[in-house]
Amino acid sequence: METLEQLKKELEEQTRSAEERLNQLKYLQADFDNFRRLHAKEKEDITSRANERLINDLLVVLDDFERALPSLEQEKKQGRDADGL
């Protein structure tokens, strides 16, 4: 009888221990999921900012080309006029 009571007590302790570990595992899994989501969002933000910077840099170059184009056309006209003389 004493052995049966002792075994029941040990089973309860093991069950409680298993439940505690299961809860720890669930919290750890939730923390990891949160970390993974946060990491994905940070990566997305970094990519977005990098793309934004690249577009801004390209717009500056495009603006420079647009400003230079009339000068180039004017130089071509002057070159043709000089050849025609």
Side-chain angles (χ1 to χ4, degrees):
M1 237 1 165
E2 197 175 298
T3 308
L4 182 60
E5 289 300 318
Q6 188 177 5
L7 288 174
K8 283 183 180 180
K9 199 178 231 182
E10 194 174 313
L11 178 60
E12 287 175 10
E13 288 176 16
Q14 293 298 326
T15 302
R16 189 172 34 252
S17 177
E19 288 173 354
E20 286 175 8
R21 288 207 167 70
L22 181 60
N23 285 335
Q24 288 173 344
L25 181 60
K26 287 178 182 179
Y27 281 114
L28 184 61
Q29 187 174 14
D31 284 346
F32 182 71
D33 287 342
N34 291 338
F35 168 78
R36 190 176 58 220
R37 276 191 291 267
L38 179 64
H39 178 70
K41 184 173 177 359
E42 286 177 353
K43 185 178 176 182
E44 194 176 297
D45 290 345
I46 289 169
T47 302
S48 178
R49 278 186 260 131
N51 287 339
E52 184 178 321
R53 275 189 238 133
L54 176 63
I55 289 170
N56 284 334
D57 291 346
L58 290 175
L59 286 174
V60 169
V61 173
L62 182 62
D63 287 344
D64 289 345
F65 277 131
E66 287 179 348
R67 278 182 273 163
L69 191 59
S71 298
L72 181 62
E73 290 173 359
Q74 188 176 11
E75 285 180 19
K76 283 184 180 179
K77 284 181 183 177
Q78 289 175 353
R80 273 190 252 134
D81 290 344
D83 290 340
L85 288 177

